[in-house]
Amino acid sequence: MAERKLMAGHAVRRVRRQAGLTQAAMAEVLEISPSYLNLVERNQRPVSAGLLVRLAERFDFDPRLLRAAEPGGGADAIRRRLADPLFADLEIDRNEVAEWLAAAPGGAEAFARAFDRGGAGTERAVEDSPGGAVRGAIERWRNHFADLDAGAEALADELRLGSDDLYGAIAERLRVKHHLAIRVLPVDVMPDLLRRVDLHARQLQLSELLDRASRTFAAASQLAQIEARAEIDALTKGAEIADRGAERLFRRHLVSYWAAALMMPYDRFLRACEATGYDVELLQRRFGAGFEQVAHRLTTLQRVGARGLPFFMVRVDRAGQASKRYAGGSGSALAAAEGRCPLWRLHHAFDRPGELAVQLVELPGPGSVSAAGGERWLTMARTVVPQGRQVGAVAAEFAVGLGVEAGQAAGLAAARGIDLAGDATPIGLGCAACLRPDCPQRSLPPRGRALLINERERRVSALTFAGD
């Protein structure tokens, strides 16, 4: 895939101001012309590789922060906020958002913070929750942590030299290098636990309820806490999460990320994705992983120079509550939105447990109430059952949804037989954020739109709203 240009004028300007330099003075230090630096700061020129190197050398600047510190999370995140019905009549397009970020990055960041904190009811509660803070930290990195990937991949290659059995290789490394044995215990010994570290006995104890993929993941997670500790500590500290519970959730995410990267090393996994058409079920078998593990890994393929397709992922329960949402590099509002549309087959997956439900969907364009003209996504959904269920216990079940822009989905195994330019199911981001008229499934009028009642007529939708 062609690399997207790195437009990061806001970050370059911040470095200059922190150094107390004029554009002319900084241009001299960087060995470029003042006019070129001016264009870079206004996002009219990309930041070149050479300029990145000089910034790092002469201003002690970490180039990875250029992406991580984008105002408001970047153009895609700003556009998702502007998709709120409150702004529907403004019809702000991509170019205007880009110009805004270039001309007034501080103003864009201020808007994003005010919007995020100004939400009502459930939405504000979610954003202020530990999960909301963690999600923000993850999305600032687009769920791609290069240092974790590189370390896990190097170790995976080392372990592979000694054995094709990854679980056995991890167990041996834990035993020999870290004096930690793995012991699988009966469920009556660990009735409420799936994994436990007994430092006194020097054991990683796993429940017999875990399947092979989950045992490998648990062992890899323990190895991550030991061998990737420095990198995880640095990322956690850099996230600057104030809430202690949220900080621990973020650390857990990073541990799981490293474990998945060990099971599905970046280069090998990306090559397998491209060779199989991102066939999730085939990837499961090839890497000895679960459906949800593979789905999450697909959202992390954002390595510079070797990007995969930009997938998003969500995980919901039967009530529609989301417990995982990763936009990855997709910028998809379907992952970011608090609400979801019942017409999306993500919810229908519960009717056919274990089967993959594929659907072409279309979102309305900004300010649009038509059934066409917006973003189109090819989505896949399947149920997953958490490990550890005992006979007679409550049966937990989730639906995991994956999606990629229809324009990039032609080579997908899941797209075979589907006309990606044909009819798509029109959906929204939940009734409160959807402006589609005459939807028979509508349960609420859009936020900011008055409900209209006409006693002389009845439309397809029982709820008619102003501006309809």
Side-chain angles (χ1 to χ4, degrees):
M1 293 178 61
E3 284 298 309
R4 291 179 289 184
K5 294 180 179 179
L6 179 55
M7 311 300 285
H10 60 283
V12 176
R13 184 187 299 113
R14 186 177 298 119
V15 171
R16 177 173 63 80
R17 288 177 175 173
Q18 288 174 346
L21 298 176
T22 64
Q23 283 189 338
M26 186 174 190
E28 183 177 354
V29 174
L30 293 174
E31 300 176 7
I32 58 177
S33 69
S35 59
Y36 177 69
L37 178 59
N38 180 262
L39 292 172
V40 168
E41 288 194 3
R42 292 162 55 195
N43 275 354
Q44 294 183 9
R45 291 290 187 277
V47 178
S48 67
L51 182 55
L52 274 179
V53 171
R54 289 194 289 275
L55 279 167
E57 290 177 344
R58 298 169 196 185
F59 293 94
D60 192 25
F61 180 72
D62 187 346
R64 292 170 298 181
L65 298 179
L66 290 174
R67 280 295 190 193
E70 288 181 301
D76 289 334
I78 293 292
R79 288 180 61 245
R80 287 197 296 270
R81 295 179 178 95
L82 291 172
D84 190 282
L86 181 64
F87 311 116
D89 60 320
L90 300 179
E91 299 185 3
I92 300 173
D93 61 23
R94 289 176 180 268
N95 292 331
E96 288 180 281
V97 172
E99 291 171 2
W100 185 20
L101 288 171
E109 175 66 23
F111 160 76
R113 293 183 187 181
F115 182 88
D116 293 345
R117 295 192 179 187
T122 302
E123 291 178 355
R124 179 164 184 175
V126 170
E127 288 303 320
D128 289 343
S129 70
V134 172
R135 188 166 59 254
I138 293 170
E139 292 306 331
R140 277 195 293 275
W141 289 94
R142 287 178 171 79
N143 201 21
H144 174 70
F145 301 93
D147 290 347
L148 298 185
D149 258 311
E153 188 170 31
L155 180 57
D157 290 341
E158 180 183 338
L159 295 178
R160 193 181 181 201
L161 292 175
S163 173
D164 288 334
D165 174 16
L166 181 60
Y167 174 75
I170 294 173
E172 183 68 6
R173 188 176 184 90
L174 285 170
R175 185 184 67 81
V176 174
K177 187 172 183 177
H178 304 294
H179 310 291
L180 199 64
I182 295 180
R183 186 178 180 188
V184 178
L185 295 176
V187 66
D188 57 325
V189 176
M190 295 176 62
D192 302 315
L193 293 172
L194 297 178
R195 175 170 67 94
R196 176 176 60 194
V197 177
D198 186 335
L199 293 178
H200 178 73
R202 302 300 302 172
Q203 289 180 350
L204 169 61
Q205 299 170 347
L206 304 179
S207 170
E208 65 180 342
L209 294 175
L210 295 175
D211 62 18
R212 182 73 174 183
S214 298
R215 290 183 188 182
T216 303
F217 187 80
S221 296
Q222 183 60 43
L223 198 57
Q225 294 180 59
I226 301 172
E227 300 203 8
R229 185 182 184 88
E231 292 85 352
I232 291 171
D233 284 347
L235 286 166
T236 303
K237 182 179 179 181
E240 297 182 342
I241 300 174
D243 182 82
R244 182 63 174 163
E247 182 183 76
R248 289 178 174 175
L249 276 176
F250 183 57
R251 179 180 291 276
R252 178 190 290 179
H253 176 83
L254 297 177
V255 167
S256 296
Y257 185 104
W258 193 93
L262 185 66
M263 293 176 65
M264 295 166 275
Y266 196 101
D267 279 343
R268 274 193 279 147
F269 185 73
L270 179 58
R271 287 197 302 269
C273 287
E274 294 173 343
T276 64
Y278 291 79
D279 188 323
V280 179
E281 295 180 351
L282 185 54
L283 292 169
Q284 281 182 252
R285 292 190 287 273
R286 186 168 297 186
F287 289 91
F291 182 88
E292 185 175 337
Q293 291 169 347
V294 172
H296 181 206
R297 189 63 171 141
L298 289 176
T299 71
T300 70
L301 302 181
Q302 302 297 312
R303 176 178 286 177
V304 174
R307 297 187 193 275
L309 289 180
F311 280 87
F312 71 81
M313 171 192 158
V314 296
R315 188 183 75 172
V316 301
D317 60 18
R318 283 184 176 270
Q321 301 171 114
S323 48
K324 290 185 179 180
R325 289 189 282 145
Y326 304 120
S330 71
S332 175
L334 286 169
E338 293 299 336
R340 270 154 295 281
C341 181
L343 300 179
W344 185 14
R345 284 187 195 159
L346 171 67
H347 306 280
H348 300 190
F350 292 107
D351 298 334
R352 293 179 175 272
E355 293 186 18
L356 192 67
V358 182
Q359 184 184 25
L360 184 64
V361 300
E362 186 172 68
L363 292 170
S368 171
V369 296
S370 66
E375 297 177 349
R376 295 163 68 90
W377 298 85
L378 183 73
T379 67
M380 297 162 270
R382 208 201 80 171
T383 55
V384 295
V385 178
Q387 293 287 300
R389 183 196 172 196
Q390 300 182 41
V391 175
V394 174
E397 189 178 33
F398 297 92
V400 170
L402 278 169
V404 69
E405 276 192 289
Q408 302 185 59
L412 265 60
R416 292 168 190 159
I418 295 177
D419 181 4
L420 296 173
D423 293 337
T425 303
I427 67 171
L429 302 176
C431 292
C434 181
L435 295 173
R436 293 191 186 279
D438 294 335
C439 175
Q441 190 69 60
R442 180 173 287 282
S443 300
L444 297 167
R447 278 192 308 272
R449 297 299 177 98
L451 185 62
L452 302 178
I453 304 295
N454 188 333
E455 296 180 354
R456 295 193 298 271
E457 62 183 35
R458 174 70 180 267
R459 300 181 65 168
V460 172
S461 173
L463 300 175
T464 305
F465 49 90
D468 182 351

